[in-house]
Amino acid sequence: MTTAAEPLEFNPYAYEYHEDPYPTFARLRAEAPVYRSEEFDFWAYSRHEDVLGAFRNVDLYSNSHGVSLDPSAFSPDAHKTMSFLALDPPRHTRMRSLVGKAFTPTKVAAMEDRIRAITLEHLLPALEQGTFDLIEDLAGKIPMDVISDMFGVPSADRAELRRLADLVLHREDGVYDVPAEGLEAALHLVAYYQEMLEERRTSPRDDMTSALMAAEIDGDRLTDEEIVAVLFLMVVAGNETTTKLLGNAWYWGWRNPDQGALPFADPGRVPDWVEETLRYDNSSQAVLRMSRQEITLHGATIPAGQRILLLIGSANRDERAFPDPDRYDLSRDTTRSVSFGSGRHFCMGAPLARMEARIVLGELVDRVAAYDVDPAGIVRVHSVNVRGLAALPTTVTLR
């Protein structure tokens, strides 16, 4: 975080920035809408119009080297762990079409009853305690169980997969790349999914892993490497961002009691709670693109082959797109939010994430009259891309 008297410096790895990035975003939008970091060798877009434009222009902005700022993750091989997130058309179109054969809206919608059952498995014991950690006891477990259920991961393995996914994302203060522990965790995840594919090859099941192995368009099928990348993407990106969405909604509802009370008075406001949280403090704060050719924007000239960070968190707080953007307001129009991207790379998991959040928060408001959070126990996640909480101690008053 910076103040107006200080030089404008943007370090997306800094712990101080992770605590509250929004004052820095405001200065970037006002003073340097196209920001250049010589230290970390990237450019950054902070205004809504520019972020949205980059999302939609796949001819000018490339995903071919991945979406992460970490130097070791920025590579032509990024697709091996980030799947179609790290591909351009036509390879992106092929991958997304094949994955879409298994990950259909109908199959996602059919998960609703199972998501509700998973939610209650974790929620009811937590409510009996009266005091619990929303992240550890609910938000961290439910998305992992949902993803694992979809792909057929045994219950006994899920806690370990979540631990490995956390290691891939976490950054110690002053560490500016994927640490050794994160790289090792990524290798363990890949090895686990490779073994799972071998098992499915001899014993197919009624799960998404087997569906991905069977997906076919005109004789074209996904390779094992491509399927492993999809599984890795889902557990690291899909699972973790939904966990953070749930924690962020709970946290900001508590911080803004006039707004946080609305869903508890009227459960019909739960979708508004989800959507305003996605705008106000989105799990995915930034994604990377690479310039395909020279770009001139706001008086800055960006050469071809440069890394450009699209600041989703800033775009969603841009006063040009959202009146009074720093107010947490469940009544606002959030249709211009770019929380899940836009264009060809719009997040395929968005319907699942929204449904999970609505179900979990809906089951909470059905049973809880009021809640409080212990500020002394709050722990924030430190990641260059993902924003959320690692601990959120909560006490509830039941209806």
Side-chain angles (χ1 to χ4, degrees), residues 274-354:
V274 173
E275 295 304 318
E276 175 63 349
T277 302
L278 285 167
R279 182 205 69 86
Y280 187 81
D281 198 21
N282 191 37
S283 309
S284 298
Q285 286 282 294
V287 291
L288 199 72
R289 294 292 189 265
M290 184 174 69
S291 54
R292 289 177 175 271
Q293 61 192 55
E294 185 177 279
I295 299 167
T296 299
L297 186 65
H298 298 299
T301 300
I302 304 172
Q306 294 287 294
R307 303 191 304 165
I308 303 172
L309 202 58
L310 306 182
L311 300 176
I312 297 170
S314 177
N316 281 344
R317 293 281 193 103
D318 190 344
E319 54 279 0
R320 299 162 188 81
F322 302 98
D324 195 11
D326 295 323
R327 172 171 165 73
Y328 189 65
D329 181 3
L330 270 59
S331 298
R332 83 164 62 245
D333 179 359
T334 59
T335 54
R336 299 185 69 186
S337 167
V338 292
S339 300
F340 291 108
S342 186
R344 295 186 187 183
H345 282 277
F346 183 82
C347 178
M348 183 178 281
L352 178 62
R354 284 180 159 125

Side-chain angles (χ1 to χ4, degrees), residues 91-339:
R91 295 177 69 196
H92 169 267
T93 307
R94 169 191 171 269
M95 270 292 296
R96 188 162 177 132
S97 297
L98 283 165
V99 173
K101 296 284 286 186
F103 199 69
T104 65
T106 300
K107 289 181 179 179
V108 171
M111 285 289 297
E112 182 169 354
D113 289 344
R114 183 60 187 138
I115 294 171
R116 198 173 306 279
I118 289 171
T119 297
L120 295 179
E121 286 174 16
H122 296 296
L123 176 59
L124 296 181
L127 294 181
E128 285 181 10
Q129 300 174 41
T131 296
F132 55 90
D133 187 331
L134 186 94
I135 307 301
E136 180 62 30
D137 296 323
L138 293 178
K141 291 182 175 179
I142 294 168
M144 176 59 80
D145 277 0
V146 169
I147 292 293
S148 298
D149 238 48
M150 291 176 66
F151 290 104
V153 174
S155 299
D157 297 344
R158 296 174 186 180
E160 175 63 7
L161 293 188
R162 181 191 169 202
R163 186 187 72 84
L164 293 171
D166 285 341
L167 286 172
V168 172
L169 290 171
H170 179 72
R171 299 292 177 271
E172 292 294 334
D173 198 8
V175 174
Y176 302 145
D177 200 353
V178 182
E181 296 85 354
L183 292 172
E184 184 178 356
L187 291 175
H188 282 302
L189 283 169
V190 168
Y192 179 90
Y193 290 129
Q194 288 172 335
E195 290 179 12
M196 196 164 79
L197 289 192
E198 289 301 319
E199 192 274 335
R200 290 297 188 284
R201 186 162 284 109
T202 56
S203 303
R205 300 184 190 176
D206 184 18
D207 59 29
M208 197 72 74
T209 301
S210 295
L212 287 170
M213 296 176 76
E216 179 264 333
I217 298 177
D218 296 333
D220 187 18
R221 293 177 181 269
L222 295 168
T223 67
D224 284 4
E225 182 182 76
E226 288 171 336
I227 296 171
V228 167
V230 173
L231 298 174
F232 187 98
L233 171 65
M234 291 298 290
V235 74
V236 173
N239 165 65
E240 284 301 313
T241 51
T242 306
T243 291
K244 273 57 177 180
L245 167 58
L246 290 167
N248 290 347
W250 198 249
Y251 174 79
W252 289 113
W254 169 70
R255 285 284 305 271
N256 296 270
D258 63 319
Q259 297 298 306
L262 296 178
F264 292 87
D266 175 9
R269 302 298 302 273
V270 168
D272 299 330
W273 193 9
V274 173
E275 295 304 318
E276 175 63 349
T277 302
L278 285 167
R279 182 205 69 86
Y280 187 81
D281 198 21
N282 191 37
S283 309
S284 298
Q285 286 282 294
V287 291
L288 199 72
R289 294 292 189 265
M290 184 174 69
S291 54
R292 289 177 175 271
Q293 61 192 55
E294 185 177 279
I295 299 167
T296 299
L297 186 65
H298 298 299
T301 300
I302 304 172
Q306 294 287 294
R307 303 191 304 165
I308 303 172
L309 202 58
L310 306 182
L311 300 176
I312 297 170
S314 177
N316 281 344
R317 293 281 193 103
D318 190 344
E319 54 279 0
R320 299 162 188 81
F322 302 98
D324 195 11
D326 295 323
R327 172 171 165 73
Y328 189 65
D329 181 3
L330 270 59
S331 298
R332 83 164 62 245
D333 179 359
T334 59
T335 54
R336 299 185 69 186
S337 167
V338 292
S339 300

Side-chain angles (χ1 to χ4, degrees), residues 12-130:
Y13 292 95
Y15 271 30
E16 185 181 10
Y17 158 79
H18 296 164
E19 288 299 324
D20 184 5
Y22 297 104
T24 299
F25 288 162
R27 288 195 62 192
L28 287 170
R29 292 193 303 271
E31 301 173 31
V34 177
Y35 176 86
R36 172 62 182 164
S37 171
E38 296 293 344
E39 179 180 4
F40 297 107
D41 188 25
F42 72 87
W43 303 76
Y45 293 177
S46 50
R47 292 184 181 174
H48 183 276
E49 180 182 21
D50 301 328
V51 171
L52 180 62
F55 274 137
R56 293 180 172 176
N57 193 338
V58 295
D59 296 324
L60 199 55
Y61 299 91
S62 171
N63 283 53
S64 64
H65 285 53
V67 297
S68 174
L69 187 64
D70 290 326
S72 62
F74 182 76
S75 158
D77 293 327
H79 64 277
K80 292 182 178 179
T81 53
M82 285 290 103
S83 186
F84 47 82
L85 277 189
L87 292 174
D88 292 329
R91 295 177 69 196
H92 169 267
T93 307
R94 169 191 171 269
M95 270 292 296
R96 188 162 177 132
S97 297
L98 283 165
V99 173
K101 296 284 286 186
F103 199 69
T104 65
T106 300
K107 289 181 179 179
V108 171
M111 285 289 297
E112 182 169 354
D113 289 344
R114 183 60 187 138
I115 294 171
R116 198 173 306 279
I118 289 171
T119 297
L120 295 179
E121 286 174 16
H122 296 296
L123 176 59
L124 296 181
L127 294 181
E128 285 181 10
Q129 300 174 41

